[in-house]
Amino acid sequence: MPITLCSDKAQEYFAEAQCTSDFTYTKVKLAIFCDGSVHDNPTQAEFNGIKRQDLDFLTGYKLFIFDYKQDLIEQVNFFKYLLD
């Protein structure tokens, strides 16, 4: 049975990991990030990796990242697959 979700929050700051998700679904502990070109910077990419790993480890939230370089329809379909 598919899960019907509505984002609980936008731009939620997770103090434990010192990072902010774009969208948060608290019911299923899911944090969504939308990565644009600023995330191509190697320093930013390394920072993101550390903070997001901390988010998963310290809070138990799972992450999904929409990347501007990837096909949006494929990403949405994969996201839907994960929720089914």
Side-chain angles (χ1 to χ4, degrees):
M1 170 183 247
I3 300 171
T4 302
L5 295 175
C6 292
S7 175
D8 296 281
K9 301 173 184 172
Q11 297 296 308
E12 180 174 12
Y13 180 71
F14 291 88
E16 306 93 317
Q18 299 178 355
C19 75
T20 303
S21 65
D22 291 296
F23 302 101
T24 305
Y25 296 83
T26 57
K27 187 175 185 178
V28 293
K29 293 191 83 162
L30 178 64
I32 307 293
F33 294 87
C34 301
D35 286 1
S37 61
V38 70
H39 299 275
D40 290 341
N41 176 295
T43 303
Q44 183 67 46
E46 182 179 357
F47 178 81
N48 289 346
I50 293 167
K51 296 300 179 183
R52 292 172 182 179
Q53 191 173 32
D54 288 349
L55 178 63
D56 180 25
F57 180 76
L58 297 170
T59 68
Y61 270 77
K62 297 301 172 200
L63 286 61
F64 189 86
I65 300 163
F66 285 100
D67 186 326
Y68 83 102
K69 294 178 294 200
Q70 305 298 321
D71 182 89
L72 180 60
I73 299 301
E74 288 179 12
Q75 291 179 88
V76 169
N77 286 336
F78 184 65
F79 181 66
K80 287 169 51 179
Y81 168 78
L82 292 175
L83 295 176
D84 286 340

